[in-house]
Amino acid sequence: MFDEIDIHILEILQEKARIPNAEVARQVGMAPSAVLERIRKLEERGIIEGYEVRLNPACFHQGLSAFVQVEADGTDAQTATALAAIASVQEVHQVVGPDGFLVKLRTADHTTLSRILQQIRPLPGVRSIRTQVVLETVKETRRVDLTEPNGNGRNS
């Protein structure tokens, strides 16, 4: 599915998505047009889903992170959609176990967090919620490990 050059290109782009195409080409030892074509194909195949800017949440008064475990009646798509529609919610995961969903959110403070929790409680299908406030984030990334031994990375 990938060759060594694709993996190298993906590693470079994960490190710095705004890197000029000519610099990627230099690092992989190919012509810029060939690298651009490879990137276009990786995008078309859905391997590269997009490019994002990482903002510092504290600069936008959103320094408080929390995880909310939502116990729901089943794992209703309506509940998931309603959770995802809340502006402060960054992630909604359907999980195995007594909780149907694990929700990550970011907000300004405990008062705002309380208001968001009041939005979640009455949603259709929600039985109960439990919240864990993050004291410190040690690691947060969306990078994919391209060296995974059983995946399509360099060690496969």
Side-chain angles (χ1 to χ4, degrees):
M1 191 168 189
F2 313 113
D3 64 14
E4 288 287 321
I5 295 171
D6 287 339
I7 296 297
H8 194 189
I9 290 170
L10 293 169
E11 287 172 339
I12 293 166
L13 291 176
Q14 280 195 129
E15 183 64 32
K16 186 177 179 186
R18 289 181 44 135
I19 190 168
N21 183 56
E23 178 58 21
V24 176
R26 187 192 66 72
Q27 289 185 35
V28 298
M30 294 180 68
S33 60
V35 169
L36 190 60
E37 181 63 19
R38 280 180 178 259
I39 291 171
R40 188 186 61 73
K41 286 180 181 176
L42 291 166
E43 290 169 344
E44 286 175 358
R45 291 170 44 201
I47 294 161
I48 296 175
E49 293 181 337
Y51 304 88
E52 295 180 345
V53 173
R54 293 185 307 267
L55 302 175
N56 181 342
C59 293
F60 299 92
H61 306 292
Q62 296 180 24
L64 186 130
S65 295
F67 290 90
V68 181
Q69 295 157 298
V70 179
E71 185 178 344
D73 296 324
T75 50
D76 187 357
Q78 182 182 9
T79 305
T81 301
L83 289 166
I86 297 171
S88 296
V89 169
Q90 291 188 314
E91 300 174 12
V92 177
H93 304 276
Q94 185 177 347
V95 296
V96 175
D99 301 312
F101 300 97
L102 178 63
V103 176
K104 178 184 175 187
L105 58 88
R106 243 185 231 287
T107 188
D109 53 35
H110 290 90
T111 302
T112 310
L113 173 60
S114 180
R115 281 199 296 268
I116 295 165
L117 297 176
Q118 294 304 323
Q119 286 181 268
I120 293 174
R121 282 189 180 94
L123 292 177
V126 172
R127 277 194 257 160
S128 67
I129 61 174
R130 292 187 318 279
T131 306
Q132 295 178 337
V133 174
V134 175
L135 297 177
E136 177 184 11
T137 299
V138 177
K139 180 179 181 180
E140 183 173 57
T141 184
R142 287 195 36 111
R143 291 184 185 180
V144 174
D145 181 4
L146 298 176
T147 62
E148 183 66 31
N150 296 323
N152 291 319
R154 291 181 181 237
N155 293 333
S156 60

